[in-house]
Amino acid sequence: GYIDVKSPNNVNNCCRNANKASKQGACVCLTDHYLDLDDKKIEKRNSEIWRSPYYNHDIIFWLVNGELRKYERPKKYKRP
């Protein structure tokens, strides 16, 4: 599959960017280029993305401080 790298300039845009990637048939990789992130913020954004009916993938990638992280869809969030 494809991965679409997005660098949102506002943490509130993460879900929208993930949905855009999904609409194009790609899994999303969100970067921290313009964001101040910690694990709690990432988990909150992941939950928002998993709950979205528009994100059709089971993986979210994050590039944080030069480290690529992979998050898999928890069973409690059914795939749309």
Side-chain angles (χ1 to χ4, degrees):
Y2 294 96
I3 297 173
D4 190 357
V5 178
K6 302 285 190 186
S7 298
N9 58 5
N10 184 313
V11 74
N12 295 321
N13 294 336
C14 292
C15 187
R16 186 179 74 196
N17 280 270
N19 289 337
K20 283 183 182 180
S22 186
K23 184 178 178 183
Q24 296 170 337
C27 183
V28 72
C29 177
L30 298 161
T31 73
D32 67 347
H33 287 112
Y34 306 110
L35 304 175
D36 179 29
L37 295 173
D38 58 31
D39 289 340
K40 189 173 182 177
K41 288 179 184 177
I42 290 171
E43 288 300 326
K44 184 175 181 180
R45 294 303 149 203
N46 283 349
S47 292
E48 182 181 72
I49 293 167
W50 297 136
R51 286 191 313 267
S52 171
Y54 304 107
Y55 192 72
N56 300 315
H57 299 277
D58 292 328
I59 296 173
I60 299 170
F61 290 99
W62 286 86
L63 183 63
V64 181
N65 295 325
E67 175 190 3
L68 184 62
R69 301 179 184 185
K70 178 182 174 183
Y71 296 87
E72 295 184 17
R73 183 184 295 271
K75 294 183 190 267
K76 68 180 179 179
Y77 296 111
K78 290 184 180 180
R79 191 172 181 188

